[in-house]
Amino acid sequence: MRFGILGPLDIRTDDGTPVDSGGPRPRALLTLLLLDAGRTVSTDRLTAGLYGAQPPAGAANALQSQISRLRRRLAPHTEIEATPAGYRITASPEAVDTHRFEHMAGEGRVAFSAGDHTRAAARLREALALWRGPALPDLPEAHAEKARLEELRLAAVQDRIEADLLLGGGPELVAELRALLPAHPLSERLYGQLMRALHAGGRPAEALTVYEEARRTLADELGTDPSPELSALHLELLRGGGAGGPARPRVPVQLTPFVGRGTELARIARGLSDSRLVTLTGPGGVGKTRLAVEAARSRSDAFLVELAPLSDGTRIPYAVLAALGVREGFRTPATDTTDRLLAALEERELLLVLDNCEHLVEEAAQLSALLLGACPGVRVLATSRESLGITGEVLVPVPPLPPEPAVRLFLDRARAVRPDFDHHARVADICRALDGLPLAIELAAARLRTLTPDELADRLDDRFRLLTRGDRSKAPRHRTLRAVVEWSWDLLDDEERDLAAELTVFPGGATLDAVEAVCTAAHPEDLLASLVEKSFLEVSEGRYRMLETIRAFAAERLTGADGPRDAHAAYFLRLAERAEPYLRGGGQLRWLARLTAEHGNLDAALRHLVRTAPADALPLMAHLSWFWRLRGPHDEHARLARALLTAVGDEAPTGLEEEYALCAMNTITGRGDDPAEPDRIARVADVLRALEKPLRLPFTVVLWSLTGGPLLASDQEVRAVQVGDDPWGRAVLDLGLAYQTQFAGRPAESEADFARSLTGFRVTGDRWGMANCLDPLGGFASRRGAYDEALRLIDEGLAYVRELEAPEETADLLRTRGTVLLHRGDVEAAAVHYEQSGALARSAGASDKVAAARRGLGDVARLRGDAAHARVHYENALEACAANWFSIGETVRILIGLGRTAAAEGDADGARDWFAQAHTHAQEAPDALTLADVADALASLAPGPGRAAELLGAAAGLRGESLDADPDVVRTRDDVRARLSAQAYDEAFGRGRSLRSAAVSER
């Protein structure tokens, strides 16, 4: 059966037949039961809901009669069961619109947090469509529950409107927002959304008047001014800025109008609707890339992956990860890149635009087939000279432009260089001679700055023959584009050619500062402007970029051997050295953005030095190592690090020991598939132990702890010497010490260490360091029952990691916040946090974090009494948990959850089996806390109360404290205390505490 209580009570069988529930009392009774579908509702609550705070005499009998009548009406589809505490309707929560609404609204919020605005808007619309009127009209006294549901409804409406705005909506939202404001006149979010909608609809003046309306209302009703956020939006509109939109475009914004291709755009849209792989095919220069970008531009779920710069097909997964913004986190070991990509895309709905597949067609086809087979929400739009050859592929041939749009394209580009240019009789001849190829047309139009149309048309006679009849032994790309680019190259003067050739050493584009430092032109500004005008370069936000085809052509003309590449490498080595200290301080956001923009150039510089000067490559790799951990997939650089290590040899060069150690660390993936890794780890350990002076790069300590794992539990005095007096290094040292004392079961000492580390990181302004201290400090506060303090600390950490755009660290803190809420008793909010944490972890391909979030959802379901769902969550978590030292503790906690679930179902033997597995794993863990968790679990099934008290004592001894906030531990402790005298409990507890790990066994 299906039940609706978001509006007048509506009951229907599975085939849609309505069912009459009876009069007001049966409707109220059924509504009360449905609010807790699948769970027991106490007789006291049912009685109060039916009769108020002062029920009449005989209310209990009347309740039983009402239950009996309601059973008959619902039979045989749904039952109402009597339990020792009250009554339970057997309908699942999914059968009740309130629960479906909350579930779908939660999914919408999770999708919104993950940046999937299309899915968020769709799920929120589905959720809101369940409302048929005011909530719970058959429960007139349920004011608190009605208010809660209405708040959730308003939040869902606002989230859906926000998603619509971010998807490009605006004018169509104005009427809805104006209708909402009278009912919610103090909602600043609604005022802001209305301002943005009006602005998007071309009504900026009205948007400004809305702000004044908000200001007056807030002043009259509350005596306050608008919030800083609303004031900032007002100021942005006053300045003529935008009204908010997606934070980062996933496909480039085009600088010139798009001409023609209406038929092809329609075919692409149909193809992506009916299939999940569409490939645009055609010769070079025909405009496949521009057409793909135009087709994807209106989609908020599209990501452009440029394959043209790649020469190795194995690097395609890295390119996709980079386009998605996925990077390595600090507490997640490196995983196989393809597996990480699959994990990141497993549950997402998006469009990947794989551009320029032709030179890597086999590898592109293999990866596309893998993604499409494993990720049902992924679609692929590819551009290539040939098809990918995958079953189900829809081909969209891209022909040359027909005469009319070809002329329009030429005229548009011609007027960009000569605003007074008018139609000329030779234009159609020029376009025809160029075979309608858009790239050739654009380059030809750019030449009108120096040539007349007649001169241009006459010159094409010979060049057109080269364009269509090139050497067939050459690559297909060279048969078409080479002639176009070579002809344009001939029109450059010598200085322009020299600069264009030198610019090819910048695969990631270049700033003016970089051009001045690397290229030989004394004053390159005018030359750069000329190359931009002649379509050899594009410029955007101060960066000069060369089309890849042109760059490949110009690179063949680069003279002077490795001179320009040496200058390029030297420049970016200096940049990396300059940036490194800022990445550990208050300027880290600006410098992270700077290095991210130069990522391609930094990698190119490093590859060049690995080939030509390994001793110089070591410092560059060392200075980039912390940046990579903040922003780049680790595997992309592990191969390069191995090549550098091979080039340098088995011994560290004198004076470069630290850099050598960092290079070796960058080769470690931790997957266990490289038998040489243990030897390299041991080599790093020997190098670091031999260092007797402060490290030049104190983050080496952090990377070594991530590489060596539990091997780094000692040598604290050595580490102290190595970090010296560097404030950031001392804060890192305190952070490592804090974890060691926590793992050793000294919580008070550990909390003091974390607090001291936090103070040190505050001095430096490092957001990463502060967040990594605030997370465990929030945990300590929560275990004391200081939930408000815990939430305050965690929320501060969340603000920092969101500034860093760090999804994995955000997932960690959201999970910790969910645990605090769970221990405080706010089960529903905890579930939402775990969902959000899991979604972010999935978006980053961090399986360990996904496992932890699913384990949290298992805890929520189990504490709700829903053993079936708890088991599913735990089993999914166990599957996601990677087999490495990072995940031993998480694996143990999942096994404990499965054991507690079995115990809740009365399967004591099954529970003991799960706890035994947890005990076996815990003995391999690098810390005492994991074994303490096992002891607490074993206590719940101990053969007698005395043994249970011993195990509780052992857990407290190992951990250094009792878990007074954990509901499972508290329940066991209270049960044991009730079965023993106070003296017997204290004696047994003390015995266990003194024995600690020796007391934890299955006896």
Side-chain angles (χ1 to χ4, degrees):
M1 299 186 79
R2 310 290 283 183
F3 302 90
I5 54 179
L6 295 176
L9 181 65
D10 183 64
I11 312 171
R12 296 182 183 272
T13 61
D14 290 340
D15 63 4
T17 304
V19 176
D20 181 15
S21 63
R25 284 262 163 77
R27 290 199 301 272
L29 175 60
L30 181 56
T31 300
L32 287 166
L33 292 168
L34 292 172
L35 282 172
D36 284 287
R39 292 182 289 181
T40 296
V41 184
S42 68
T43 53
D44 289 344
R45 183 178 172 191
L46 291 172
T47 302
L50 290 175
Y51 301 104
Q54 296 181 334
N61 292 331
L63 175 61
Q64 289 181 353
S65 299
Q66 294 286 356
I67 290 287
S68 297
R69 287 195 289 272
L70 192 56
R71 278 175 174 155
R72 289 194 293 271
R73 289 181 179 275
L74 299 180
H77 306 287
T78 302
E79 296 181 5
I80 299 176
E81 299 175 343
T83 71
Y87 295 93
R88 181 177 74 90
I89 190 167
T90 59
S92 69
E94 289 77 14
V96 186
D97 59 0
T98 50
H99 302 293
R100 292 206 311 279
F101 165 73
E102 292 193 50
H103 178 72
M104 286 191 287
E107 287 185 334
R109 287 193 299 274
V110 169
F112 189 90
S113 299
D116 191 348
H117 302 129
T118 300
R119 175 172 169 78
R123 293 304 281 163
L124 290 167
R125 277 194 174 83
E126 290 181 59
L128 292 166
L130 296 171
W131 285 74
R132 298 168 291 105
L136 315 181
D138 295 293
L139 282 179
E141 301 301 321
H143 302 298
E145 183 64 16
K146 290 182 180 182
R148 186 185 75 85
L149 288 170
E150 290 293 346
E151 285 292 330
L152 289 175
R153 181 185 191 181
L154 176 61
V157 169
Q158 292 175 316
D159 287 345
R160 194 225 79 223
I161 291 173
E162 189 69 26
D164 285 342
L165 285 168
L166 291 170
L167 290 170
E172 72 281 3
L173 301 172
V174 171
E176 180 183 7
L177 286 162
R178 288 201 185 280
L180 286 168
L181 271 170
H184 308 283
L186 302 180
S187 173
E188 291 190 71
R189 189 181 186 191
L190 288 177
Y191 283 116
Q193 289 176 332
L194 178 57
M195 291 165 65
R196 292 162 60 196
L198 287 166
H199 185 277
R203 298 153 70 180
E206 291 181 61
L208 296 174
T209 64
V210 170
Y211 176 81
E212 292 304 320
E213 177 187 341
R215 187 183 59 77
R216 287 193 304 270
T217 302
L218 293 170
D220 294 343
E221 297 294 331
L222 302 177
T224 62
D225 293 325
S227 66
E229 292 79 10
L230 194 62
S231 298
L233 175 60
H234 176 240
L235 182 60
E236 185 179 0
L237 296 181
L238 281 173
R239 290 172 173 170
R248 290 185 300 273
R250 283 91 172 247
V251 294
V253 177
Q254 300 301 311
L255 303 180
T256 55
F258 184 73
V259 177
R261 302 298 192 194
T263 300
E264 288 79 11
L265 286 171
R267 291 191 61 189
I268 294 170
R270 288 196 302 272
L272 290 174
S273 175
D274 299 334
S275 177
R276 293 174 51 223
L277 171 61
V278 174
T279 302
L280 309 185
T281 60
V286 79
K288 299 184 296 297
T289 297
R290 183 67 191 271
L291 176 59
V293 168
E294 186 68 18
R297 187 175 59 83
S298 61
R299 300 178 61 123
S300 66
D301 62 347
F303 293 81
L304 177 65
V305 184
E306 297 177 339
L307 303 186
L310 304 184
S311 58
D312 182 356
T314 63
R315 297 187 65 199
I316 296 178
Y318 301 132
V320 180
L321 285 171
L324 294 171
V326 174
R327 63 177 184 79
E328 289 292 311
F330 290 90
R331 287 173 280 182
T332 298
T335 58
D336 178 78
T337 305
T338 302
D339 290 341
R340 187 171 180 82
L341 179 58
L342 289 172
L345 294 177
E346 181 182 7
E347 296 184 25
R348 295 186 69 177
E349 293 186 5
L350 50 81
L351 173 67
L352 288 179
V353 181
L354 300 183
D355 187 35
N356 288 310
C357 298
E358 55 267 6
H359 62 305
L360 304 170
V361 67
E362 293 291 338
E363 296 88 345
Q366 290 170 9
L367 182 64
S368 297
L370 182 62
L371 293 178
L372 293 169
C375 308
V378 171
R379 281 175 163 74
V380 173
L381 175 60
T383 72
S384 178
R385 303 278 180 88
E386 60 181 299
S387 69
L388 299 188
I390 300 174
T391 301
E393 179 182 28
V394 173
L395 296 180
V396 178
V398 182
L401 284 172
E404 191 274 332
V407 168
R408 279 197 290 122
L409 176 64
F410 185 95
L411 293 175
D412 177 82
R413 304 307 191 256
R415 287 164 183 160
V417 297
R418 286 179 56 178
D420 60 343
F421 183 79
D422 200 359
H423 195 285
H424 190 280
R426 302 292 300 273
V427 169
D429 294 336
I430 293 170
C431 293
R432 190 180 306 110
L434 293 175
D435 232 3
L437 292 175
L439 177 59
I441 290 171
E442 292 184 350
L443 292 172
R447 302 286 70 78
L448 289 179
R449 176 174 291 276
T450 57
L451 298 175
T452 68
D454 288 326
E455 291 172 336
L456 181 60
D458 292 340
R459 187 181 178 98
L460 283 176
D461 288 342
D462 290 338
R463 296 295 178 174
F464 180 71
R465 187 165 54 251
L466 291 174
L467 191 68
T468 57
R469 298 180 182 178
D471 186 349
R472 297 192 180 198
S473 67
K474 301 295 186 183
R477 181 174 182 175
H478 290 174
R479 281 185 238 155
T480 54
L481 296 185
R482 175 175 293 278
V484 174
V485 179
E486 190 166 32
W487 163 69
S488 301
W489 180 268
D490 289 343
L491 298 177
L492 300 180
D493 62 32
D494 290 342
E495 287 185 309
E496 290 171 339
R497 290 176 190 154
D498 290 343
L499 180 59
E502 291 175 341
L503 288 173
T504 63
V505 302
F506 293 96
T511 62
L512 177 60
D513 177 68
V515 174
E516 290 176 329
V518 173
C519 300
T520 56
H523 301 287
E525 296 94 332
D526 291 341
L527 290 173
L528 288 169
S530 179
L531 288 171
V532 169
E533 291 173 356
K534 295 178 180 180
S535 299
F536 263 78
L537 288 180
E538 295 177 344
V539 60
S540 176
E541 297 181 352
R543 291 189 72 81
Y544 295 90
R545 294 184 180 275
M546 186 176 280
L547 292 176
E548 188 60 29
T549 299
I550 297 175
R551 193 173 81 87
F553 176 89
E556 296 175 358
R557 276 105 180 121
L558 185 62
T559 59
D562 283 329
R565 294 183 180 87
D566 291 340
H568 174 271
Y571 174 82
F572 284 102
L573 172 58
R574 293 194 300 272
L575 178 67
E577 291 173 339
R578 180 185 173 197
E580 187 279 322
Y582 293 101
L583 298 181
R584 298 180 280 111
Q588 64 189 168
L589 295 181
R590 182 168 63 88
W591 280 93
L592 277 171
R594 176 81 182 273
L595 293 185
T596 299
E598 301 291 2
H599 192 276
N601 285 315
L602 291 165
D603 281 0
L606 184 56
R607 285 193 296 271
H608 174 69
L609 291 176
V610 168
R611 180 175 60 86
T612 62
D616 292 331
L618 282 174
L620 178 55
M621 178 170 284
H623 283 90
L624 290 176
S625 294
W626 191 243
F627 166 65
W628 289 343
R629 288 290 174 173
L630 284 164
R631 284 290 161 90
H634 176 67
D635 267 13
E636 182 177 359
H637 301 101
R639 181 185 305 176
L640 194 56
R642 285 193 289 270
L644 177 55
L645 203 63
T646 300
V648 172
D650 294 336
E651 298 295 328
T654 303
L656 294 174
E657 292 83 1
E658 181 180 344
E659 290 80 356
Y660 182 85
L662 281 166
C663 177
M665 290 181 213
N666 283 316
T667 70
I668 307 300
T669 66
R671 293 195 301 266
D673 56 358
D674 183 353
E677 280 191 0
D679 290 339
R680 289 201 296 275
I681 292 175
R683 199 188 316 170
V684 173
D686 291 339
V687 171
L688 291 180
R689 290 191 187 101
L691 294 176
E692 297 178 350
K693 58 183 179 180
L695 295 166
R696 292 186 296 276
L697 302 170
F699 62 75
T700 301
V701 174
V702 181
L703 298 188
W704 175 225
S705 69
L706 292 170
T707 302
L711 299 176
L712 199 67
S714 58
D715 293 345
Q716 191 68 20
E717 292 183 2
V718 174
R719 300 290 166 257
V721 171
Q722 290 176 353
V723 300
D725 296 327
D726 179 80
W728 189 88
R730 301 302 299 186
V732 165
L733 198 67
D734 286 333
L735 181 63
L737 183 63
Y739 277 112
Q740 289 182 28
T741 51
Q742 184 183 25
F743 291 164
R746 303 199 298 273
E749 190 177 340
S750 176
E751 187 172 12
D753 292 335
F754 278 119
R756 187 169 61 255
S757 178
L758 175 61
T759 299
F761 283 125
R762 287 196 193 283
V763 170
T764 69
D766 179 20
R767 294 161 179 81
W768 172 85
M770 289 187 284
N772 275 271
C773 293
L774 289 161
D775 189 349
L777 286 171
F780 282 115
S782 176
R783 289 191 287 276
R784 289 195 299 271
Y787 300 119
D788 290 342
E789 179 188 357
L791 294 175
R792 178 184 60 78
L793 292 167
I794 293 167
D795 287 345
E796 183 184 351
L798 276 169
Y800 293 139
V801 293
R802 282 168 174 157
E803 280 186 309
L804 288 172
E805 300 179 11
E808 290 189 42
E809 285 75 13
T810 305
D812 283 334
L813 282 153
L814 283 171
R815 187 181 67 251
T816 302
R817 199 176 197 277
T819 302
V820 174
L821 293 169
L822 184 64
H823 289 174
R824 192 173 71 172
D826 196 346
V827 179
E828 301 302 327
V832 171
H833 278 67
Y834 289 135
E835 290 279 8
Q836 292 174 340
S837 174
L840 283 171
R842 278 191 298 275
S843 73
S847 298
D848 282 3
K849 316 293 186 184
V850 173
R854 287 174 173 168
R855 191 252 308 167
L857 288 170
D859 292 343
V860 167
R862 180 171 54 80
L863 293 173
R864 281 174 172 165
D866 188 350
H869 281 90
R871 188 182 303 103
V872 171
H873 286 307
Y874 288 135
E875 289 172 351
N876 289 337
L878 200 60
E879 184 178 348
C881 216
N884 51 65
W885 73 266
F886 282 83
S887 63
I888 292 176
E890 190 56 54
T891 301
V892 169
R893 287 186 284 274
I894 295 167
L895 293 169
I896 289 172
L898 285 164
R900 291 192 184 278
T901 302
E905 294 177 310
D907 183 5
D909 290 339
R912 290 189 182 93
D913 287 342
W914 287 117
F915 291 161
Q917 291 184 51
H919 183 250
T920 300
H921 281 78
Q923 291 174 316
E924 301 175 3
D927 62 274
L929 306 184
T930 307
L931 196 58
D933 291 337
V934 175
D936 279 326
L938 289 170
S940 67
L941 289 180
R947 175 59 178 156
E950 285 183 358
L951 287 165
L952 290 172
L958 288 163
R959 195 179 287 112
E961 60 182 343
S962 297
L963 293 185
D964 295 329
D966 188 304
D968 291 312
V969 177
V970 170
R971 183 171 54 252
T972 302
R973 182 196 63 196
D974 292 347
D975 176 66
V976 174
R977 281 186 177 277
R979 297 162 61 195
L980 290 174
S981 67
Q983 180 179 354
Y985 177 85
D986 291 342
E987 289 176 354
F989 187 90
R991 284 195 305 274
R993 186 158 194 151
S994 64
L995 292 172
R996 295 174 61 153
S997 61
V1000 183
S1001 69
E1002 300 173 60
R1003 65 179 176 84

